[in-house]
Amino acid sequence: EKKHIIEIHGDYWHCNPKIYPDEFIHPYFKMTAKERRNLDEHHYYLFQSNFLPSFLNIVCTPMTCLRASSRA
């Protein structure tokens, strides 16, 4: 049985580095933008290396969605 994950990134929730400087404090997560992006990278590593045969990451900006796919 295959398991899949789809994660959709929003500029605000995942602190797009083109918009939010590293030192921006996210009001909901109570962490800096850099810390949030590092946490996302850690999650990607876990998804890709340990848990799932395929991982689909969708990056959404206000005007467009970019789609990147990884396969373990």
Side-chain angles (χ1 to χ4, degrees):
E1 177 182 325
K2 291 186 178 183
K3 295 184 180 179
H4 303 277
I5 189 165
I6 298 172
E7 182 167 276
I8 300 174
H9 273 218
D11 289 334
Y12 175 73
W13 294 105
H14 295 273
C15 300
N16 182 340
K18 293 180 181 179
I19 299 172
Y20 298 98
D22 288 347
E23 55 279 346
F24 170 77
I25 304 291
H26 197 288
Y28 182 81
F29 296 114
K30 308 294 189 229
M31 63 175 60
T32 66
K34 185 175 183 175
E35 290 170 328
R36 179 64 206 182
R37 291 189 294 265
N38 287 341
L39 183 62
D40 286 341
E41 286 183 31
H42 179 69
H43 288 160
Y44 299 153
Y45 172 76
L46 291 175
F47 295 155
Q48 292 175 343
S49 62
N50 297 314
F51 299 114
L52 301 167
S54 68
F55 172 66
L56 177 63
N57 181 29
I58 300 173
V59 179
C60 291
T61 63
M63 298 301 289
T64 185
C65 259
L66 305 171
R67 185 172 142 172
S69 173
S70 297
R71 301 228 186 272

